[in-house]
């Protein structure tokens, strides 16, 4: 790591298992690794002046870094430094899905106009989609596989500063300078809820600077405001669970849930502090004092490391287990270029392994899936696709084969497999019913029996065109399949768990019954021996 200061503790902890850290400042993204002497600097465009960054995020495999800035583009980088795609594509006009008509800045982009600045972005769980928010009042959901804007989420009346996917990708939460948090359905793009603080008028709501969903508690959402208030919401019931007013002096800037402890929340603010907040008692379990205002912070996937980006251009790393002294200070930016976004590599990705892997080229694109890594050969003339870095679900046949290969040969588990197949068949029927049928072909009008003669210099009357058929309903079938598949998977997992618990219970009961039978036999033998000894004694 290029260090301003380095403690011996971090030298001992440096290994290939330490995740990579991405920082955004100015016009570049820097990737830091503990075994390297200098960071890998990613310059997304040839015009760095127009490419001022505001947000950076890793995909779920830890091999791709996405950055968004004031030019309105999301650039996808491989960790080797190669650009593997962008949305919208910089070489062509913005492509928008016909299922969601754009409005505002998105409409201007579709017509070849300028794009609105991006202030925040986030990946979905499988990295198929990336949601962006910024100067426009719309939140755009991009399909990285098709490289189109799949959804335009409307409802905000002011710029949007934060966006986050819920657990399971069922909803998208967004908030900004208006102070209200909107919840949209990922499948339909319809607004399904709004979270606003009670007892505060709409005109005096402070801006929301950051959002974060809990990875452990379903529907738990945290937000931090411009007045330093920290709030925790139940997105399912649309209610406030916890509220700590003026938690930070001068405004709160970042929030993150602990990945393994549901009772710990990490927040940062302009008061030069990073705190670990216990919502149950509304107290700080740990408080870190930094030399400058904190603009962003991030927790590693194991929750042991916290990285904070400062207004002065440096990034400081702490070990949460030993917070008395910082591990290291990174020269990530400068006084004129503060660290505006910071992100740790995703869980399960090793920094050394990812950096040593080759970057996708024009002739060979590596596609990483949750189950395996396959290599697909393409034509040399085709540019690298952004979807090559996005996980593609395994086929149903492979999933069933994997399930049957790991399933014990018992009647309980075979019934579960049959139930899973029946659920999948029902899911296919539901999807077939909801898929709009194509309109029937329009037949040509029949010729009339009588024709009227027209003068040679008079053109025949022009036929009035028929009105176009109504557009199909705006249903994202891919998102619906993902949601239904997740529901089926959770149901099957629950059924497997119940079956295992029932089987273990039956085995335990059988063992108890067997022990009781043995004890009965022993007691019977003991009584017979006692009776035999007494009879022998009498005969003697």
């Amino acid at each position: 790591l290029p260090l301003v200061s380095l403690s011996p503790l971090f030298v001992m902890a440096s290994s290939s298992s330490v995740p990579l850290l991405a920082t955004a400042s100015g016009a570049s993204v820097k990737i830091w690794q503990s075994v390297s002497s200098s960071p890998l600097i990613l310059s997304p465009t040839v015009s760095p002046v127009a490419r001022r960054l505001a947000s950076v995020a890793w995909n779920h495999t830890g091999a791709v870094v996405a950055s968004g800035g004031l030019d309105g583009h999301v650039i996808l980088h491989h960790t080797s430094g190669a650009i593997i795609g962008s949305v919208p594509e910089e070489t062509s006009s913005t492509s928008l899905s016909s299922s969601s008509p754009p409005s505002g800045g998105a409409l201007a982009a579709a017509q070849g106009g300028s794009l609105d600045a991006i202030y925040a972005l986030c990946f979905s769980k499988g990295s198929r989609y990336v949601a962006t928010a910024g100067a426009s009042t719309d939140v755009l959901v991009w399909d990285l596989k098709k490289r189109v804007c799949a959804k335009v989420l409307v409802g905000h009346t002011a710029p949007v500063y934060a966006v986050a996917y819920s657990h399971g990708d069922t909803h998208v939460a967004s908030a900004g300078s208006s102070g209200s948090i909107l919840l949209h359905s990922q499948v339909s793009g319809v607004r399904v809820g709004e979270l606003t603080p009670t007892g505060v008028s709409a005109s005096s709501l402070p801006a929301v600077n950051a959002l974060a969903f809990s990875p452990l508690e379903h529907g738990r959402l945290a937000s931090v405001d411009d007045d330093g208030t920290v709030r925790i919401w139940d997105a399912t019931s649309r209610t406030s669970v916890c509220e700590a007013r003026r938690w930070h002096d001068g405004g709160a800037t970042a929030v993150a849930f602990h990945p393994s402890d549901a009772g710990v929340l990490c927040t940062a603010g302009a008061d030069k502090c990073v705190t670990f907040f216990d919502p149950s008692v509304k107290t700080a379990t740990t408080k870190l004092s930094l030399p400058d205002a904190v603009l962003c912070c991030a927790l590693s996937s194991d929750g042991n490391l916290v990285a904070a980006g400062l207004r002065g251009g440096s990034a400081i790393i702490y070990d949460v287990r030993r917070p008395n002294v910082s591990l290291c200070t990174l020269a990530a930016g400068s006084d004129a270029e503060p660290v505006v976004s910071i992100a740790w590599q995703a869980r399960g990705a090793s920094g050394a392994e990812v950096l040593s892997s080759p970057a996708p080229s024009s002739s060979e694109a590596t596609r990483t899936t949750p189950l395996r890594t396959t290599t697909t050969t393409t034509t040399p003339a085709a540019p690298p696709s952004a979807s090559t870095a996005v996980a593609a679900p395994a086929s149903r046949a492979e999933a069933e084969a994997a399930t049957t290969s790991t399933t014990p040969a018992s009647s309980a588990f075979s019934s579960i497999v049959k139930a899973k197949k029946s659920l999948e068949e029902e899911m296919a029927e539901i999807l077939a019913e909801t898929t709009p049928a194509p309109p029937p072909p329009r037949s040509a009008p029949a010729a009339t029996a009588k024709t009227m003669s027209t003068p040679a210099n008079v053109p025949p009357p022009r036929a009035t065109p028929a009105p176009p058929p109504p557009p199909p309903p705006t249903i994202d079938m891919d998102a619906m399949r993902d949601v239904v598949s997740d529901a089926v998977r959770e149901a099957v997992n629950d059924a497997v768990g119940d079956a295992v618990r029932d089987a273990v219970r039956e085995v335990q009961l059988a063992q108890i019954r067997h022990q009781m039978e043995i004890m009965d036999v022993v007691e019977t033998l003991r009584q017979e021996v006692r009776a035999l000894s007494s009879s022998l004694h009498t005969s003697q």
Side-chain angles (χ1 to χ4, degrees), residues 92-149:
S92 62
S93 60
T94 306
S95 177
L96 287 155
S97 173
S98 59
S99 62
S100 296
S103 62
L107 180 59
Q111 295 174 349
S114 61
L115 293 169
D116 293 304
I118 294 176
Y119 298 153
L121 61 87
C122 67
F123 279 102
S124 62
K125 182 173 63 176
S127 301
R128 168 70 183 271
Y129 302 95
V130 60
T132 62
S136 171
T137 58
D138 300 334
V139 176
L140 305 182
V141 178
W142 298 91
D143 188 335
L144 297 183
K145 184 176 181 180
K146 300 177 181 179
R147 281 193 271 187
V148 298
C149 182

Side-chain angles (χ1 to χ4, degrees), residues 47 53 77 155 260 370 402:
S47 177
L53 296 178
H77 274 94
S260 59

Side-chain angles (χ1 to χ4, degrees), residues 67-233:
S67 60
L70 304 186
D71 63 348
H73 286 85
V74 177
I75 308 298
L76 303 173
H77 274 94
H78 188 264
T79 49
S80 62
I83 297 178
I84 59 176
S86 66
V87 287
E89 297 181 77
E90 294 186 276
T91 57
S92 62
S93 60
T94 306
S95 177
L96 287 155
S97 173
S98 59
S99 62
S100 296
S103 62
L107 180 59
Q111 295 174 349
S114 61
L115 293 169
D116 293 304
I118 294 176
Y119 298 153
L121 61 87
C122 67
F123 279 102
S124 62
K125 182 173 63 176
S127 301
R128 168 70 183 271
Y129 302 95
V130 60
T132 62
S136 171
T137 58
D138 300 334
V139 176
L140 305 182
V141 178
W142 298 91
D143 188 335
L144 297 183
K145 184 176 181 180
K146 300 177 181 179
R147 281 193 271 187
V148 298
C149 182
K151 288 288 180 295
V152 178
L153 311 181
V154 300
H156 287 284
T157 58
V160 186
Y161 299 151
V163 62
Y165 271 98
S166 67
H167 181 73
D169 295 345
T170 55
H171 296 92
V172 178
S174 56
S177 60
S178 65
S180 61
I181 303 172
L182 300 186
L183 298 174
H184 289 82
S185 170
Q186 165 67 9
V187 177
S188 62
V190 177
R191 192 176 84 178
V192 296
E194 182 176 358
L195 306 177
T196 55
T198 57
V200 183
S201 61
S203 59
S204 59
L205 286 176
V208 177
N209 294 324
L211 295 172
F213 273 100
S214 172
L216 303 177
E217 295 180 309
H218 181 73
R220 193 58 56 94
L221 175 67
S223 65
V224 291
D225 297 346
D226 215 15
D227 64 351
T229 301
V230 179
R231 291 184 175 89
I232 299 179
W233 307 84

Side-chain angles (χ1 to χ4, degrees), residues 533-540:
S533 62
S534 62
S535 63
L536 289 175
H537 181 72
T538 303
S539 62
Q540 290 177 354

Side-chain angles (χ1 to χ4, degrees), residues 1-48:
L1 287 167
L3 307 174
V4 176
S5 62
L6 176 65
S7 66
L9 184 63
F10 189 69
V11 174
M12 291 186 294
S14 299
S15 66
S16 60
S17 62
V18 176
L20 301 177
L21 180 68
T23 61
S25 60
S28 62
V29 176
K30 296 180 181 179
I31 298 179
W32 306 81
Q33 186 191 15
S34 60
V35 297
S36 63
S37 58
S38 60
L40 175 65
I41 301 177
L42 310 179
S43 298
T45 62
V46 296
S47 177

Side-chain angles (χ1 to χ4, degrees), residues 36 46 62 77 96 102 114 162 186 192 215 219 256 304 309 314 322 330 338 386 473 478 488 494 525 529:
S36 63
V46 296
H77 274 94
L96 287 155
S114 61
Q186 165 67 9
V192 296
N304 294 331
S314 61
R322 293 174 287 270
L330 314 177
D478 292 334
V488 171
D494 293 341
L525 291 175
V529 169

